[in-house]
Amino acid sequence: MPTFRTRRADVLYPEDQYELTEDGRVPVTYQRTAKYQDGNTIDWLHEEDLERERHHALQSQAGTRGVLLPALDSAKMWFIVIATGVAIGLAGAWLDVLVKWLSDLREGRCSHGFFYNSNACCTGLDPGEICHEWQTWGEAFNVTSIFGSSLLQATIYVVLAVVFAGSAATMVVTYAPQAFHTGIPEIKAILGGYVFDAFLSPWTLLIKALGLALTVASGLSLGKEGPLVHVACCMAFFLTRFFKEFRHNEAQKRRLLAAAAAAGVSVAFGSPLGGVLFGLEELDAFASESDVIWRGFVASAVAAVALQWVNPFSTGKLVLFQVTFVSDAWRAFELIPWLTLGVIGGILGSLLIRLNVEIALYRRNSVLRDWPVLEVVCVSAFTAAVCYLIVFARVQTSELVANLFQECDPTKGDYHGLCNPTATGQNIFLLCLTAVLKIVLTAWTFGMMVPAGIFLPTIGIGACLGRAMGLVMQSLYRAYPMAWIFQSCPPDPSVRCISPGFYAVIGASAMLGGVTRMTISLVVILFELTGALSHVLPIMISVMTAKWVGDALGKDGIYSVWIAMRRYPWIPPVEYRDRGETGANIMKPLSEIIVIEDCVTTVKDLKALLVEHSFHGFPVIDSHGEFVGYATRQALAGGLDRLQLDQDTDRNKKCTFSKNRSRIPADERIDLEFTLEDSIIQLRKEVPQELVVNVFQKLNLRQILFTHSGKLVGLVTKRDIVNLMTAHFPHDAALADPPQVPHR
Amino acid sequence: MPTFRTRRADVLYPEDQYELTEDGRVPVTYQRTAKYQDGNTIDWLHEEDLERERHHALQSQAGTRGVLLPALDSAKMWFIVIATGVAIGLAGAWLDVLVKWLSDLREGRCSHGFFYNSNACCTGLDPGEICHEWQTWGEAFNVTSIFGSSLLQATIYVVLAVVFAGSAATMVVTYAPQAFHTGIPEIKAILGGYVFDAFLSPWTLLIKALGLALTVASGLSLGKEGPLVHVACCMAFFLTRFFKEFRHNEAQKRRLLAAAAAAGVSVAFGSPLGGVLFGLEELDAFASESDVIWRGFVASAVAAVALQWVNPFSTGKLVLFQVTFVSDAWRAFELIPWLTLGVIGGILGSLLIRLNVEIALYRRNSVLRDWPVLEVVCVSAFTAAVCYLIVFARVQTSELVANLFQECDPTKGDYHGLCNPTATGQNIFLLCLTAVLKIVLTAWTFGMMVPAGIFLPTIGIGACLGRAMGLVMQSLYRAYPMAWIFQSCPPDPSVRCISPGFYAVIGASAMLGGVTRMTISLVVILFELTGALSHVLPIMISVMTAKWVGDALGKDGIYSVWIAMRRYPWIPPVEYRDRGETGANIMKPLSEIIVIEDCVTTVKDLKALLVEHSFHGFPVIDSHGEFVGYATRQALAGGLDRLQLDQDTDRNKKCTFSKNRSRIPADERIDLEFTLEDSIIQLRKEVPQELVVNVFQKLNLRQILFTHSGKLVGLVTKRDIVNLMTAHFPHDAALADPPQVPHR
């Protein structure tokens, strides 16, 4: 005969008032203590249970309510997905406009309106007409001497950089310390079940968005991509607050956050497909659930439509760095420089990661720890001063990348002499110098108390190196057009054979591969970013090479490294191979576990237990050591609260959780069986460790209980698995405590 | 103290000769019976166990062997991945060349060499020069009258179609019945753990490749995409035979097959990224294991490089249907026709699936069942005769699609008057007629005894409908250029505003969405196929709409429907929601399970059990009903074989599996504990059904055992879960028995 589960108390929200009459239970006063605190890990199976029971309760409503309520439920979910998409699309566009205006302000101002950026100031001119409305600061203040004008320009350039970066850092340090850094490691941990509500608060949202615009405009070596993902997740989190079915269910909330993250990437790169794939590969968020992928897909598309509708740069295109290739075909010999770029990307990517880790450790363990704002001010002043001197570093990285990806076209003008064949040597030197400078600056900047993404600077470094390699190849071809290696080029040397712009794209892919160790999503993002579809194969090959080389030098990408340093409970989706160990090797044995004894533990004991231990839940065993069940502290506290056991007579009653209760007279016992979890995974302690890790990875568990012949023998939690997986990393937990902000 | 598992006997291959001395076990004679028969489901956990132990054995070798052997292992794996990629790339190119030549043969011949196709025949001519070397059959046979020439052309066109299709069907029916159909449903089932070695045999490989070329050339309404995936998997399967580590391990074999499938898609569509995503989304093959995704990525890239290197069409491009858009921007009002196309795609897709199912059922239950070759001959004759009359249906579908995707360009000539503004009405009628015809023909063809893919015909149907919609919009714009809806178009009506070619792309995406219900991989394939990067958003939107509409009309895509009809044990990766049922509702209770009793079952009983029951394995319980372990029939048979229990005295010895053995005198017992599986998942019968399904989906299990207080209470197998998931489909198992081929 089918046995149906009974509904449990904590399915219900405070708003729900109902009577549980079937089994004679009394109405519930909802336990208002939050289920999880920041720093906890959610119990997916428990959350899924609640959702299932809620869903079941909705569907079993009589008449049209049974049809309408589930439909309304689904409508709410789609509302959040679509609203998040629209909101992040608009926010992304607004951010672009703000950044453009702020960074132009460092160069000059518009004479017919302070709030116009340089492009908006000069629109409506006929071709060839010179724009007089946009004035450099020298012109605006009527400084005529070249020296004075240059000095004024440089001073304003540096001072504004410091002002922007300093104010961003002050805001972050004072109001929302969680708004620093990229946010991707935290999002990965949160989507895996980590509870970190402060990280997603509206306050963080505001500071991160505003601070991001300021830091990007300040010219620090950072990008907006990761922080935008964080902002999108904050938005979705904010929206979930208005719907109790998402506010109270951590699993459902995370499904929506995954869609929001995809939308964030979609807006950051103008890459709707890349967003979905990023969610799939890097965030490991969708866990192959096709309807969650589907939501990410919709959110991404909506966000991209919203961005395109606002059209912040009036190009009508999503593609950020349009690439135009001289020839559609590439030649086999070009694989040699491209593979070389892949190797360089892998090596420099690993170097960047290592440098970044060292600087982060130094920052934490030195006097810098106490002066975060001062650090930002100094670094931004240094960045601005040095970059002002190097022509390729002076502009925004996004502008630099767009120009490096562009082929030389005599009709379009020459970007800082990049296409001048007589200056090739000088250009190669400058590009390499810029790359080295950016590596050092990025390694330092990524981790300061400002919002900072790593994507764009990495693309910039790679594009510089790639373009340099392209110039080398081009000058080789010009010098020896008849050499054996170039025989597949057209015989006429005036026809171009090498496209240095595409070499820059390859360089960027290789560098990104080395730093992030992503594969497919990276390729998709890159070719959505550039439109370089016919050249997808070389991009794939360079990413592959960079990842191989990088993995040989250090197993983890930059996000994994930060997750390990900050000790978030996140299990990487990589294959784990044990060396013959079983579950018994990793479990905490019964002797070290706090358990509740069925028919033995009294109400008084139980209350003491709940006060004394902060564990998320407790296994229940009977007097023979046999496993009875598992109850969360929340369910136990709620149960005790609900039964109103305040009289002294109740204090010595035994708690019963199973049929053993018949052994105890009815007036000496309290039945708490309803507090036990439905969904508990138990394994035998003999199972291979590999399978234990795999079950944790695939089912997103919080704990597994080990039994032998029905008796509880041990327990393993997610934290144990995380420790196992990060054991190879030397700086595990180096930044585990949240950033200190002593000097507000 | 850590407890290490002992090595098990069946890790070893017949080739390995070794002594198990540590625990005094005797050398093993390997049980030569195959582990699985066709129709079985593999036990992933068991296979993973074997692989783990093998890996461990390799690594624990002393000295350099311990380093070299694992490296060699990995080199073998990469060899298979890369060799499969190269092989399928070359095979795909060869197939393209063969198909082109065969299908050109239906129209005419090359006078200076029979084996040249029309393009190869006419190369080397100056622009404007007329090609005299390629002769239609009328010219070749010097038939001068128009009527006679037309009749001859039509006759040869139809006769050759019948000959090609008939010979393909004869080959399939006679030599390799498994080579029929697309192969994707079977690949999905195999990657999920189904054993179907006949489906991957070299014979099937040969017949499928050859038959595919013939059927595609015959002009039947089918594509080469699905079958190419099948061919790629056959190649990988063939290569695994040479390496014992893959030949003997079904899990490792499937990981390689997944990479091969990705390579197949990569070649079929010239879409390396699409291949990886197809593997990820549709085949659900990679199970979020990043190194398996990685292999698919490499195989895809290698296959695409190989294809591009052969360059069968001398275009130097992977992009099959290059799309050139008149304008890069699209306008908001165009969303109306595109959404309409999405709805039409969803409806017609569902219709096509339903029609296909009805025809498949009719074929199985009528006289057609006995005459498969005759059916193919009749259908191909009908297809050829009807298609010859309709101008858009006469050419190869791939050529039609390429032309429909193309924008009108006065410099390039007009494809059958498609760009003639005065013939718009006629063109719309012809396109719709072609679409309807192709729907009927495709529904019939997909399921006949020939290799047949569904992708290309679906794209063809969608492209016709989309182009028709584009023509409607274009003529509306020409008629009312000042209408409110067109106000975002350029004011000058001679500038084009509507791009009908892109409408064809949208139509194709919508139709594919409706038929296959894929999402992301479809979008990637389509935009790799067409290069329509700037228009990725409309493609996403149309696919989304089509899937929504299609899902409302019928939950399953065409591949799921065929899997259900053929009753393959495949669990769809969709979310399953129970209605309060627990594991107890779905499990087979203990009373119906054949078990082995520890210390009770004698050797004689055990042998009888193995003969009598064909189950894959048997749970072992002790006399109190307590669960001891699970042993596969292969392990038990191997164990009995190994202990050489042939004397009569042995027959009545008790089999012991646990420490209970101490109760029995040493000379009255046989210890078989080593036959128990390491990796066994047990759950409590109270767990929600949803969790049971989820565990099966995520961990790819073969069975779960249910215990209560340590006692075995039931068992659920993959088949039970599959039945649960396909319960909503009325024609479940309608084609369960393999196709009959009585008339060889």
Side-chain angles (χ1 to χ4, degrees):
Chain A
M1 211 213 74
T3 56
F4 282 90
R5 299 189 307 279
T6 53
R7 290 169 76 191
R8 268 213 322 282
D10 49 0
V11 185
L12 304 164
Y13 309 127
E15 297 85 345
D16 290 324
Q17 293 298 331
Y18 84 120
E19 301 264 338
L20 269 175
T21 50
E22 339 160 57
D23 53 353
R25 286 183 192 165
V26 288
V28 175
T29 48
Y30 181 78
Q31 183 71 4
R32 279 201 169 265
T33 54
K35 248 188 293 191
Y36 303 103
Q37 309 287 324
D38 273 11
N40 286 13
T41 299
I42 69 160
D43 188 342
W44 282 88
L45 297 189
H46 176 79
E47 301 296 316
E48 298 288 354
D49 266 2
L50 298 190
E51 173 61 16
R52 176 170 39 237
E53 295 185 31
R54 199 184 62 79
H55 200 81
H56 186 204
L58 283 186
Q59 282 188 321
S60 59
Q61 298 271 351
T64 46
R65 277 173 67 85
V67 179
L68 284 182
L69 286 181
L72 182 68
D73 212 46
S74 163
K76 284 174 188 168
M77 187 272 291
W78 285 112
F79 168 76
I80 297 185
V81 169
I82 291 171
T84 308
V86 172
I88 188 65
L90 298 182
W94 166 84
L95 208 70
D96 283 342
V97 171
L98 186 62
V99 166
K100 175 72 181 144
W101 177 71
L102 285 174
S103 59
D104 279 353
L105 208 58
R106 294 170 66 202
E107 308 260 6
R109 59 146 209 190
C110 186
S111 64
H112 65 77
F114 185 67
F115 289 100
Y116 288 102
N117 65 35
S118 61
N119 292 351
C121 193
C122 298
T123 47
L125 297 180
D126 293 327
E129 204 176 336
I130 294 165
C131 178
H132 293 289
E133 278 73 25
W134 181 256
Q135 302 174 316
T136 61
W137 289 112
E139 291 163 8
F141 289 109
N142 284 319
V143 181
T144 46
S145 79
I146 292 181
F147 176 76
S149 163
S150 302
L151 193 67
L152 181 69
Q153 281 299 123
T155 312
I156 293 184
Y157 184 90
V158 174
V159 167
L160 279 186
V162 170
V163 169
F164 293 161
S167 47
T170 311
M171 285 198 298
V172 169
V173 169
T174 317
Y175 300 108
Q178 304 306 349
F180 97 118
H181 209 233
T182 161
I184 304 269
E186 286 80 7
I187 301 287
K188 286 175 86 157
I190 289 173
L191 292 178
Y194 185 60
V195 181
F196 198 178
D197 286 356
F199 183 76
L200 297 169
S201 69
W203 210 226
T204 308
L205 164 62
L206 193 71
I207 301 290
K208 188 122 193 183
L210 211 56
L212 184 60
L214 287 168
T215 48
V216 172
S218 79
L220 278 169
S221 185
L222 46 79
K224 68 184 166 85
E225 288 69 22
L228 264 186
V229 175
H230 182 183
V231 168
C233 287
C234 289
M235 287 173 169
F237 186 79
F238 181 72
L239 288 173
T240 58
R241 293 192 167 198
F242 296 102
F243 300 97
K244 60 177 190 235
E245 40 279 86
F246 302 110
R247 182 170 66 242
H248 291 296
N249 192 296
E250 297 291 328
Q252 292 298 90
K253 202 188 278 174
R254 274 161 182 72
R255 296 222 169 86
L256 289 173
L257 289 180
V265 176
S266 164
V267 168
F269 297 103
S271 159
L273 215 58
V276 182
L277 282 169
F278 185 81
L280 206 65
E281 187 190 355
E282 187 59 15
L283 302 179
D284 191 33
F286 302 147
S288 306
E289 287 178 51
S290 53
D291 60 337
V292 187
I293 301 184
W294 190 225
R295 276 179 222 173
F297 196 67
V298 173
S300 266
V302 168
V305 171
L307 179 65
Q308 200 168 36
W309 180 73
V310 176
N311 197 358
F313 301 119
S314 313
T315 56
K317 282 182 199 172
L318 273 180
V319 178
L320 290 190
F321 309 122
Q322 184 83 51
V323 177
T324 49
F325 297 112
V326 174
S327 76
D328 259 352
W330 47 275
R331 291 165 185 86
F333 77 85
E334 294 187 291
L335 284 175
I336 300 169
W338 292 343
L339 286 175
T340 314
L341 279 175
V343 173
I344 294 176
I347 294 172
L348 289 185
S350 293
L351 182 77
L352 179 57
I353 294 173
R354 198 162 295 183
L355 205 59
N356 183 251
V357 169
E358 292 302 330
I359 294 173
L361 295 176
Y362 173 74
R363 179 181 297 122
R364 176 54 59 104
N365 302 320
S366 71
V367 68
L368 281 183
R369 180 181 181 139
D370 300 331
W371 302 94
V373 176
L374 191 64
E375 183 196 355
V376 171
V377 165
C378 293
V379 172
S380 65
F382 177 78
T383 305
V386 174
C387 289
Y388 192 78
L389 299 177
I390 302 176
V391 61
F392 292 126
R394 192 186 301 172
V395 294
Q396 286 285 315
T397 312
S398 54
E399 199 184 323
L400 172 68
V401 171
N403 281 301
L404 290 179
F405 282 4
Q406 212 62 247
E407 291 308 329
C408 288
D409 183 349
T411 62
K412 279 195 184 159
D414 189 2
Y415 179 75
H416 289 299
L418 206 56
C419 297
N420 182 355
T422 59
T424 304
Q426 187 193 341
N427 278 328
I428 294 173
F429 171 75
L430 272 181
L431 287 170
C432 291
L433 183 68
T434 311
V436 171
L437 179 68
K438 275 186 182 289
I439 288 178
V440 175
L441 289 177
T442 307
W444 198 289
T445 310
F446 189 72
M448 291 199 310
M449 283 302 277
V450 286
I454 188 99
F455 258 96
L456 194 60
T458 309
I459 293 181
I461 296 164
C464 286
L465 292 171
R467 186 85 190 202
M469 177 68 85
L471 289 178
V472 169
M473 290 302 291
Q474 202 176 33
S475 58
L476 276 180
Y477 174 60
R478 281 187 183 135
Y480 314 102
M482 290 306 153
W484 168 81
I485 196 169
F486 297 119
Q487 66 183 3
S488 55
C489 283
D492 178 6
S494 71
V495 176
R496 220 167 311 187
C497 178
I498 312 275
S499 306
F502 183 65
Y503 281 67
V505 175
I506 292 284
S509 347
M511 198 66 205
L512 277 177
V515 171
T516 63
R517 307 291 161 81
M518 290 156 50
T519 53
I520 310 164
S521 44
L522 202 56
V523 176
V524 175
I525 289 175
L526 265 162
F527 90 133
E528 280 195 290
L529 209 59
T530 59
L533 190 85
S534 55
H535 288 53
V536 64
L537 267 177
I539 295 180
M540 280 177 91
I541 291 167
S542 70
V543 170
M544 270 160 55
T545 315
K547 188 181 150 75
W548 260 328
V549 172
D551 279 352
L553 295 175
K555 222 175 120 189
D556 305 295
I558 193 143
Y559 299 132
S560 307
V561 163
W562 273 83
I563 290 177
M565 284 201 294
R566 308 210 67 181
R567 204 160 187 264
Y568 296 128
W570 178 76
I571 304 178
V574 296
E575 200 180 5
Y576 173 77
R577 286 232 173 269
D578 64 39
R579 291 184 312 279
E581 295 95 335
T582 64
N585 295 63
I586 196 180
M587 76 183 185
K588 196 191 278 184
L590 179 61
S591 55
E592 296 174 21
I593 307 174
I594 308 299
V595 295
I596 297 171
E597 282 183 81
D598 184 30
C599 305
V600 174
T601 302
T602 62
V603 171
K604 192 177 71 179
D605 296 342
L606 187 59
K607 284 186 171 173
L609 198 77
L610 291 180
V611 171
E612 197 177 334
H613 299 287
S614 63
F615 297 120
H616 174 253
F618 304 90
V620 180
I621 59 175
D622 70 8
S623 48
H624 307 292
E626 204 140 283
F627 179 65
V628 173
Y630 182 89
T632 63
R633 72 179 293 107
Q634 197 220 3
L636 289 170
L640 290 178
D641 187 54
R642 169 181 159 186
L643 298 172
Q644 297 176 332
L645 303 171
D646 294 329
Q647 298 99 324
D648 270 355
T649 51
D650 288 332
R651 299 189 58 206
N652 289 319
K653 284 186 178 169
K654 313 272 195 231
C655 301
T656 61
F657 295 86
S658 68
K659 290 188 182 133
N660 294 334
R661 74 176 67 91
S662 54
R663 298 181 204 155
I664 300 176
D667 58 347
E668 288 177 23
R669 70 185 196 221
I670 290 292
D671 187 25
L672 288 171
E673 190 173 353
F674 68 92
T675 60
L676 296 182
E677 288 296 295
D678 282 339
S679 303
I680 276 296
I681 301 272
Q682 338 163 18
L683 296 177
R684 302 198 301 160
K685 73 179 193 320
E686 292 85 4
V687 295
Q689 209 174 73
E690 202 174 303
L691 181 64
V692 177
V693 172
N694 203 0
V695 171
F696 266 99
Q697 284 174 328
K698 298 277 175 64
L699 297 179
N700 234 330
L701 299 178
R702 202 185 188 290
Q703 68 273 318
I704 287 180
L705 296 158
F706 288 98
T707 52
H708 185 80
S709 302
K711 295 190 171 50
L712 183 70
V713 292
L715 175 145
V716 59
T717 64
K718 188 167 183 175
R719 172 50 65 196
D720 300 320
I721 303 293
V722 171
N723 290 346
L724 186 72
M725 302 291 277
T726 54
H728 66 277
F729 181 64
H731 306 299
D732 184 22
L735 309 179
D737 47 329
Q740 299 294 317
V741 282
H743 288 271
R744 324 198 147 195
Chain B
M1 211 212 75
T3 57
F4 282 89
R5 299 190 306 281
T6 51
R7 290 168 78 192
R8 269 216 320 284
D10 51 359
V11 184
L12 304 164
Y13 309 126
E15 295 86 348
D16 290 325
Q17 292 298 330
Y18 82 118
E19 300 264 337
L20 268 176
T21 50
E22 338 159 57
D23 51 353
R25 285 182 194 166
V26 288
V28 175
T29 47
Y30 180 78
Q31 183 70 6
R32 281 201 169 264
T33 54
K35 248 189 292 192
Y36 303 104
Q37 307 289 322
D38 273 11
N40 286 12
T41 299
I42 70 160
D43 189 341
W44 282 88
L45 298 189
H46 176 79
E47 301 295 317
E48 298 288 353
D49 266 2
L50 298 191
E51 173 61 16
R52 177 170 37 239
E53 294 185 31
R54 199 184 62 80
H55 200 80
H56 185 203
L58 283 187
Q59 282 187 321
S60 58
Q61 299 272 350
T64 47
R65 277 172 67 85
V67 178
L68 284 182
L69 285 181
L72 181 68
D73 213 46
S74 164
K76 284 175 188 168
M77 188 272 290
W78 284 112
F79 168 75
I80 297 185
V81 167
I82 292 172
T84 307
V86 171
I88 188 66
L90 298 182
W94 167 82
L95 208 72
D96 282 342
V97 172
L98 186 61
V99 165
K100 175 72 181 147
W101 177 70
L102 284 175
S103 61
D104 279 352
L105 209 58
R106 294 170 67 202
E107 308 260 5
R109 58 146 209 189
C110 186
S111 63
H112 65 77
F114 185 67
F115 288 101
Y116 287 101
N117 65 34
S118 61
N119 292 351
C121 191
C122 298
T123 47
L125 297 181
D126 293 329
E129 202 176 336
I130 294 166
C131 177
H132 292 290
E133 278 73 25
W134 181 256
Q135 300 173 316
T136 61
W137 289 113
E139 291 163 8
F141 290 108
N142 284 319
V143 181
T144 46
S145 79
I146 292 181
F147 176 76
S149 161
S150 302
L151 193 68
L152 180 70
Q153 281 298 120
T155 311
I156 292 183
Y157 184 90
V158 173
V159 166
L160 278 185
V162 170
V163 169
F164 292 161
S167 47
T170 311
M171 284 196 299
V172 168
V173 168
T174 316
Y175 300 106
Q178 304 306 349
F180 98 118
H181 209 232
T182 161
I184 303 270
E186 286 80 8
I187 299 288
K188 286 175 84 157
I190 288 172
L191 291 179
Y194 185 60
V195 180
F196 197 178
D197 286 356
F199 183 75
L200 297 170
S201 68
W203 210 226
T204 307
L205 163 61
L206 192 73
I207 301 290
K208 188 122 192 183
L210 209 59
L212 185 60
L214 286 168
T215 48
V216 172
S218 79
L220 277 169
S221 184
L222 47 78
K224 69 183 165 85
E225 288 69 21
L228 265 186
V229 175
H230 181 184
V231 168
C233 286
C234 289
M235 287 172 169
F237 186 80
F238 181 72
L239 287 173
T240 58
R241 293 192 167 197
F242 297 102
F243 300 97
K244 59 177 193 242
E245 40 278 85
F246 301 109
R247 181 170 67 240
H248 290 296
N249 193 296
E250 297 291 329
Q252 293 298 91
K253 203 187 277 176
R254 273 160 183 74
R255 295 222 169 86
L256 288 173
L257 289 182
V265 176
S266 165
V267 168
F269 296 103
S271 160
L273 215 56
V276 182
L277 283 169
F278 184 81
L280 207 65
E281 187 189 355
E282 187 60 15
L283 302 180
D284 190 34
F286 302 148
S288 306
E289 287 178 51
S290 52
D291 59 338
V292 187
I293 301 184
W294 190 224
R295 278 179 222 173
F297 196 66
V298 173
S300 267
V302 168
V305 171
L307 179 65
Q308 201 167 33
W309 180 72
V310 176
N311 197 0
F313 301 119
S314 314
T315 56
K317 283 182 198 173
L318 273 180
V319 177
L320 289 190
F321 311 120
Q322 182 83 50
V323 177
T324 49
F325 298 111
V326 173
S327 75
D328 258 352
W330 48 274
R331 292 163 185 87
F333 76 86
E334 293 187 290
L335 283 176
I336 301 169
W338 292 343
L339 286 175
T340 314
L341 279 175
V343 173
I344 294 175
I347 294 173
L348 290 185
S350 294
L351 183 76
L352 178 58
I353 294 172
R354 198 160 297 182
L355 206 58
N356 183 250
V357 169
E358 292 302 330
I359 293 173
L361 296 177
Y362 173 73
R363 178 180 297 122
R364 177 53 60 105
N365 301 319
S366 71
V367 68
L368 281 183
R369 180 180 181 141
D370 300 331
W371 302 94
V373 176
L374 191 65
E375 183 196 355
V376 172
V377 165
C378 293
V379 171
S380 65
F382 178 78
T383 305
V386 173
C387 289
Y388 192 78
L389 301 176
I390 302 176
V391 62
F392 292 127
R394 192 185 303 171
V395 293
Q396 285 286 316
T397 312
S398 54
E399 198 185 324
L400 172 69
V401 171
N403 281 300
L404 290 178
F405 282 5
Q406 211 62 248
E407 291 307 330
C408 289
D409 183 348
T411 61
K412 279 196 186 161
D414 190 1
Y415 179 74
H416 290 299
L418 206 56
C419 297
N420 182 356
T422 59
T424 303
Q426 187 195 339
N427 278 328
I428 293 173
F429 171 76
L430 272 180
L431 287 169
C432 291
L433 184 68
T434 311
V436 171
L437 179 68
K438 275 186 181 290
I439 288 179
V440 175
L441 289 177
T442 306
W444 198 287
T445 310
F446 189 71
M448 292 199 308
M449 282 303 277
V450 284
I454 189 102
F455 257 96
L456 193 61
T458 309
I459 293 180
I461 296 165
C464 285
L465 292 171
R467 185 85 188 204
M469 177 69 85
L471 289 178
V472 169
M473 290 301 292
Q474 200 177 35
S475 58
L476 276 179
Y477 174 60
R478 282 188 182 134
Y480 314 104
M482 291 305 152
W484 167 82
I485 196 170
F486 297 118
Q487 66 183 3
S488 54
C489 283
D492 177 7
S494 70
V495 176
R496 222 168 307 187
C497 178
I498 312 275
S499 306
F502 184 64
Y503 280 68
V505 175
I506 293 284
S509 349
M511 198 67 205
L512 276 177
V515 170
T516 63
R517 306 293 160 79
M518 288 155 51
T519 54
I520 309 163
S521 45
L522 202 54
V523 176
V524 176
I525 289 175
L526 265 162
F527 89 135
E528 280 195 289
L529 209 59
T530 59
L533 191 86
S534 56
H535 288 55
V536 63
L537 267 176
I539 295 180
M540 279 176 93
I541 292 168
S542 68
V543 170
M544 270 159 58
T545 316
K547 186 180 152 74
W548 260 328
V549 172
D551 278 353
L553 295 175
K555 224 175 117 189
D556 305 296
I558 193 141
Y559 298 131
S560 307
V561 161
W562 273 83
I563 289 176
M565 285 201 294
R566 310 210 67 181
R567 204 157 186 265
Y568 295 128
W570 179 76
I571 304 178
V574 297
E575 200 179 6
Y576 173 78
R577 285 235 172 268
D578 64 39
R579 291 184 311 279
E581 294 96 334
T582 64
N585 296 63
I586 196 178
M587 75 182 186
K588 196 190 279 185
L590 180 60
S591 55
E592 297 174 20
I593 305 174
I594 307 299
V595 294
I596 297 172
E597 282 184 81
D598 184 29
C599 305
V600 173
T601 302
T602 61
V603 172
K604 191 176 74 180
D605 295 343
L606 186 59
K607 284 187 170 173
L609 198 78
L610 291 180
V611 171
E612 197 176 333
H613 300 286
S614 62
F615 297 120
H616 173 254
F618 304 90
V620 180
I621 60 175
D622 71 7
S623 49
H624 306 292
E626 204 140 284
F627 179 65
V628 174
Y630 182 88
T632 62
R633 69 178 295 106
Q634 197 220 1
L636 289 170
L640 290 179
D641 186 53
R642 169 178 157 186
L643 297 173
Q644 297 174 332
L645 304 170
D646 294 329
Q647 298 97 324
D648 269 356
T649 50
D650 287 334
R651 299 191 57 206
N652 289 320
K653 284 187 178 170
K654 312 272 193 229
C655 301
T656 61
F657 294 87
S658 68
K659 289 187 184 133
N660 294 334
R661 73 175 68 91
S662 54
R663 296 181 206 153
I664 300 177
D667 58 348
E668 288 177 24
R669 71 184 194 221
I670 290 292
D671 187 25
L672 288 171
E673 190 173 354
F674 67 91
T675 60
L676 296 181
E677 288 296 296
D678 282 337
S679 303
I680 276 296
I681 300 272
Q682 339 163 20
L683 295 176
R684 302 198 302 161
K685 73 179 195 318
E686 293 84 4
V687 296
Q689 209 174 74
E690 203 174 301
L691 181 64
V692 177
V693 172
N694 204 0
V695 171
F696 266 99
Q697 285 174 328
K698 298 277 176 63
L699 298 180
N700 234 329
L701 300 179
R702 202 185 188 288
Q703 68 273 320
I704 287 180
L705 297 157
F706 288 98
T707 53
H708 186 79
S709 302
K711 294 190 170 53
L712 183 71
V713 292
L715 174 145
V716 59
T717 63
K718 187 166 183 176
R719 170 53 63 195
D720 300 321
I721 303 294
V722 171
N723 290 345
L724 185 73
M725 302 291 277
T726 53
H728 66 276
F729 180 65
H731 305 298
D732 185 22
L735 309 181
D737 48 328
Q740 299 294 318
V741 279
H743 288 269
R744 318 202 153 192

